[in-house]
């Protein structure tokens, strides 16, 4: 079977988004990309100021409520439906619940060939990236660097602490090619 879905999990500022962009460039077939940041941006702003939605604490902590969980579940089902309909999909997520987050995805993606990729980055390096980006709450990167990987099982892990996103993407693409994806025909 060939890989239909690639799930990247890592903390904030670990380099997942850059890896996704490179993956879309180096994989021989077209892949759609969906990230949890896009899900949050698609939600009404009122969701970010409600215990039922998602709250970002001043120290970088994140808590989610039942309304967020319901919308996230629908989003996940939609992504799985696209993969089942034939689209190759890359998911950029932050497993705040560690193994529990992966189990939710596993249920939704059941029957699909999924490559689970851990995107690691040393907390101090991610914190420096977070500071340079200026669009994240300080402390989020360091708080998430290890907790998002707790109990999660991967088919492949990459570490962006000292490795460029392109090199990580190429390692992931090599793994996907070995699973049976064929090069795009040249017409």
């Amino acid at each position: 079977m060939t890989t239909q879905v690639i799930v990247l999990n890592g903390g904030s500022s670990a380099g997942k988004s850059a890896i996704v962009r490179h993956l879309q460039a180096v994989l021989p077939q077209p892949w759609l990309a969906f990230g949890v940041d896009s899900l949050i941006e698609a939600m009404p702003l009122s969701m970010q100021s409600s215990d039922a939605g998602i709250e970002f604490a001043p120290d970088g902590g994140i808590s989610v409520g039942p309304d967020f969980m319901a919308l996230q579940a629908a989003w996940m089902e939609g992504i799985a439906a696209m993969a089942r309909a034939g689209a190759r999909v890359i998911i950029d997520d932050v497993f705040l619940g560690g193994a529990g987050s992966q189990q939710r995805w596993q249920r939704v993606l059941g029957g699909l060939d999924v490559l689970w990729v851990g995107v690691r980055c040393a907390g101090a390096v991610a914190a420096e990236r977070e500071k340079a980006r200026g669009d994240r709450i300080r402390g989020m990167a360091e708080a998430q660097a290890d907790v998002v990987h707790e109990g999660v099982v991967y088919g492949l892990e990459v570490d962006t602490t000292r490795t460029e996103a392109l090199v990580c993407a190429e390692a992931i693409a090599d793994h996907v090619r070995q699973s049976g994806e064929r090069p795009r025909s040249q017409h």
Side-chain angles (χ1 to χ4, degrees):
M1 192 174 216
T2 61
T3 303
Q4 298 163 282
V5 180
I6 301 169
V7 179
L8 303 179
N9 172 48
S12 180
S13 300
K16 298 179 305 300
S17 298
I19 290 172
V20 169
R21 285 190 299 279
H22 288 300
L23 272 172
Q24 288 180 304
V26 302
L27 285 166
Q29 300 293 333
W31 287 72
L32 296 175
F34 298 96
V36 69
D37 288 346
S38 298
L39 167 66
I40 293 166
E41 289 168 13
M43 292 180 177
L45 286 176
S46 61
M47 292 279 293
Q48 294 183 27
S49 58
S50 157
D51 341 347
I54 183 168
E55 293 185 298
F56 299 92
D59 66 356
I62 298 174
S63 60
V64 296
D67 290 350
F68 176 88
M69 295 300 288
L71 289 174
Q72 181 185 44
W75 175 74
M76 292 166 71
E77 288 286 349
I79 291 172
M82 283 186 279
R84 286 192 178 84
R88 290 173 176 86
V89 177
I90 304 167
I91 300 165
D92 165 353
D93 205 347
V94 179
F95 290 0
L96 294 175
S101 296
Q102 183 178 37
Q103 289 162 2
R104 282 193 297 282
W105 273 115
Q106 286 170 326
R107 280 191 294 279
V108 170
L109 299 172
L112 295 168
D113 188 353
V114 180
L115 174 59
W116 300 93
V117 180
V119 179
R120 295 191 181 266
C121 183
V125 172
E128 283 301 312
R129 291 177 187 166
E130 174 183 74
K131 183 178 173 185
R133 286 173 71 160
D135 66 348
R136 294 286 191 258
I137 298 167
R138 295 267 179 97
M140 193 181 297
E142 191 120 32
Q144 294 174 1
D146 295 320
V147 72
V148 299
H149 299 291
E150 289 177 6
V152 179
V153 178
Y154 299 112
L156 180 66
E157 291 189 44
V158 295
D159 190 326
T160 65
T161 304
R162 289 179 200 75
T163 306
E164 293 295 321
L166 175 59
V167 174
C168 293
E170 288 171 342
I172 296 165
D174 286 345
H175 197 280
V176 169
R177 284 187 203 101
Q178 291 169 9
S179 84
E181 176 161 307
R182 302 289 172 245
R184 195 179 303 172
S185 61
Q186 304 294 318
H187 295 293

